[in-house]
Amino acid sequence: MIFIDSHCHIDGEAFDADRDEVVERARSVGVKAMLNIGTGNPHGDDFRKAVAVAESYENVFASVGVHPHDAKTYDDKAENHLIELVKSSKKIIAWGEIGLDFYYDHSPRDVQIEVFRRQIRTARELNLPIIIHSRDANDETVEILREECSDQNFRGGIMHCFGGSAEMAQDVLEIGFLISFAGNVTFKKADSLRDAARVVPFEKLLIETDCPFLTPVPFRGKRNEPSFVVHTAKFLAEFYGIELEKLANQTADNFVDFFELKID
Ligand SMILES: [Zn+2]
Ligand SMILES: [Zn+2]
């Protein structure tokens, strides 16, 4: 049985002191691969570090893209930096996380929207799948994805840390997205998330930690890490009424197939 953490941030400072142990712990419970999502300032070293971390571990992959929080920092220079990184490393398999976050509003909404569209187009030029972050902006997100991605050449993408309704899940599935659930699906009050989980076909399902955030039950309150993806998998297996092994292997296969990877 293998697990894949489809979205983590192990390049972050939270892991500087014990990154090797964190990766080792993940491996020891069967987490075979991880996708490390680069975030931060595209005018500094943040993305270089994210890629370097992926380069230094087997089956740890990376994505680059400017988070909606940092949309106001996105310009030609930032874009060129990220494109250069993509060209420099085979470990970079996606563009993101990009999208809209109207909960925190760290960047003005009109800037978030403009930068979101621009990055989708850049990713598409590079033929990279996109990783979407959407919080309190679900209608706007779906509308933009419909406009930018509803053609046959769309490479596909992942709705990460899915937080929408069943209806939104259906909408994005139709456009060509996989849906990834994080630890918050295990939270007591997450009934609407579980309604969404019910409509996702198994072959479109992924699991993630989004660590160091969103620690699943029973470790809520602690720092999250990739080995904890097993708890989200256990929760979902029980929710769907299937064996853990089936849930784990199916979500791992979905990831490997989607990114056309070879993982041994
Ligand atoms: Zn996110
Ligand atoms: Zn994230």
Side-chain angles (χ1 to χ4, degrees):
M1 162 164 52
I2 66 166
F3 301 86
I4 292 181
D5 185 353
S6 79
H7 189 114
C8 63
H9 299 277
I10 56 168
D11 58 304
E13 267 173 34
F15 298 107
D16 278 352
D18 61 347
R19 190 168 293 109
D20 289 350
E21 287 92 332
V22 165
V23 171
E24 197 37 57
R25 221 164 16 245
R27 301 237 189 278
S28 71
V29 297
V31 179
K32 187 92 185 175
M34 298 157 228
L35 177 50
N36 184 56
I37 311 292
T39 55
N41 176 5
H43 300 282
D45 287 326
D46 293 344
F47 288 92
R48 255 187 288 273
K49 182 179 175 191
V51 177
V53 164
E55 288 284 353
S56 59
Y57 300 103
E58 200 184 350
N59 296 335
V60 175
F61 301 91
S63 80
V64 296
V66 171
H67 194 285
H69 290 346
D70 303 304
K72 56 179 183 270
T73 68
Y74 199 80
D75 58 12
D76 289 347
K77 196 171 158 235
E79 183 162 281
N80 289 334
H81 170 54
L82 299 185
I83 291 173
E84 284 310 310
L85 277 175
V86 168
K87 289 178 178 161
S88 75
S89 171
K90 286 202 166 57
K91 285 286 188 103
I92 301 176
I93 57 173
W95 191 283
E97 55 191 290
I98 58 176
L100 303 174
D101 194 314
F102 293 173
Y103 179 78
Y104 284 108
D105 281 327
H106 287 331
S107 286
R109 293 184 179 184
D110 57 332
V111 175
Q112 290 190 42
I113 288 169
E114 189 196 313
V115 168
F116 183 25
R117 285 188 190 273
R118 182 171 166 185
Q119 290 191 89
I120 292 172
R121 290 173 193 171
T122 303
R124 295 202 56 178
E125 273 166 31
L126 297 164
N127 200 30
L128 284 175
I130 48 181
I131 315 271
I132 308 297
H133 171 109
S134 174
R135 188 153 185 207
D136 281 8
N138 290 340
D139 292 346
E140 294 86 347
T141 299
V142 170
E143 191 188 317
I144 290 172
L145 293 177
R146 273 214 184 98
E147 287 174 13
E148 299 286 344
C149 305
S150 286
D151 60 278
Q152 286 195 332
N153 297 325
F154 180 51
R155 172 68 181 79
I158 298 172
M159 298 300 298
H160 114 83
C161 187
F162 189 77
S165 60
E167 191 193 345
M168 183 189 188
Q170 268 152 346
D171 287 343
V172 295
L173 285 163
E174 218 167 89
I175 304 171
F177 283 85
L178 277 72
I179 292 187
S180 180
F181 287 100
N184 51 346
V185 76
T186 70
F187 297 173
K188 255 204 181 86
K189 287 181 181 160
D191 285 330
S192 69
L193 265 188
R194 289 185 283 271
D195 289 342
R198 245 174 233 117
V199 307
V200 181
F202 286 142
E203 59 278 12
K204 300 289 180 187
L205 186 71
L206 297 174
I207 50 175
E208 65 173 82
T209 58
D210 202 14
C211 67
F213 315 109
L214 284 174
T215 313
V217 172
F219 295 109
R220 246 188 123 169
K222 279 184 67 175
R223 177 189 71 174
N224 198 4
E225 61 172 59
S227 66
F228 292 172
V229 81
V230 174
H231 298 284
T232 301
K234 277 185 183 151
F235 180 91
L236 281 171
E238 209 163 292
F239 171 77
Y240 288 121
I242 60 173
E243 295 291 319
L244 174 61
E245 183 166 3
K246 180 162 189 254
L247 191 291
N249 291 344
Q250 175 78 55
T251 51
D253 283 349
N254 294 344
F255 183 92
V256 169
D257 291 348
F258 178 71
F259 287 109
E260 300 170 352
L261 299 171
K262 283 199 184 69
I263 287 176
D264 29 61

